[in-house]
């Protein structure tokens, strides 16, 4: 089972378990993966055309997406975890200890998926 599928399946489980940390980091990481699939819009499309030439019907709002390899997905998840760990390291003031612990907990959730455990 792919990393992304395991993360998608873990999200409702985390919601049922009321695991706020896991829910937050899974939603953010799945959104990052969705954003990575986006294909840049063509400049001509941004300018638009006459309304009578615009497409109408089911599916016209679907944007082109690119397929991410499993390696790319793993790289993005690793980058999300590393970003959280780096931010936690920078929060050295005692008043930020809670936020740093939260960031480390989020990174731990992602690293479990990368290690293959996949559980939350």
């Amino acid at each position: 089972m792919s990393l992304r599928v395991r993360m998608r399946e873990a999200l409702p489980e985390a919601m049922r378990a009321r695991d706020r940390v896991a829910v937050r980091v899974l939603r953010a990481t799945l959104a990052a993966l969705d954003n990575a699939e986006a294909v840049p819009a063509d400049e001509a499309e941004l300018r638009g055309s006459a309304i009578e030439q615009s497409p109408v019907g089911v599916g016209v709002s679907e944007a082109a997406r690119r397929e991410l390899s499993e390696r790319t997905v793993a790289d993005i998840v690793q980058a999300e975890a590393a970003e959280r760990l780096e931010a936690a390291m920078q929060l050295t003031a005692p008043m930020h200890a809670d936020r740093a612990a939260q960031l480390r907990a989020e990174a731990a959730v992602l690293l479990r998926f990368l290690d293959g455990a996949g559980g939350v």
Side-chain angles (χ1 to χ4, degrees), residues 51-103:
I51 209 162
E52 60 272 4
Q53 295 174 349
S54 62
V56 179
V58 176
V60 296
S61 64
E62 293 297 317
R65 307 297 270 176
R66 69 180 115 209
E67 184 99 9
L68 299 178
S69 69
E70 189 64 21
R71 181 73 231 147
T72 304
V73 170
D75 289 345
I76 292 170
V77 173
Q78 176 66 46
E80 290 287 315
E83 181 179 315
R84 283 164 173 76
L85 290 173
E86 178 65 29
M89 285 177 31
Q90 292 178 3
L91 295 174
T92 57
M95 65 184 173
H96 296 298
D98 289 344
R99 180 64 182 139
Q102 197 175 53
L103 288 167

Side-chain angles (χ1 to χ4, degrees), residues 10-40:
L11 181 57
E13 292 172 21
M15 292 170 83
R16 279 190 292 274
R18 299 189 194 286
D19 184 347
R20 291 181 181 173
V21 172
V23 169
R24 182 175 41 251
V25 73
L26 288 171
R27 281 183 174 162
T29 304
L30 289 168
L33 292 170
D34 288 343
N35 289 340
E37 287 181 330
V39 175

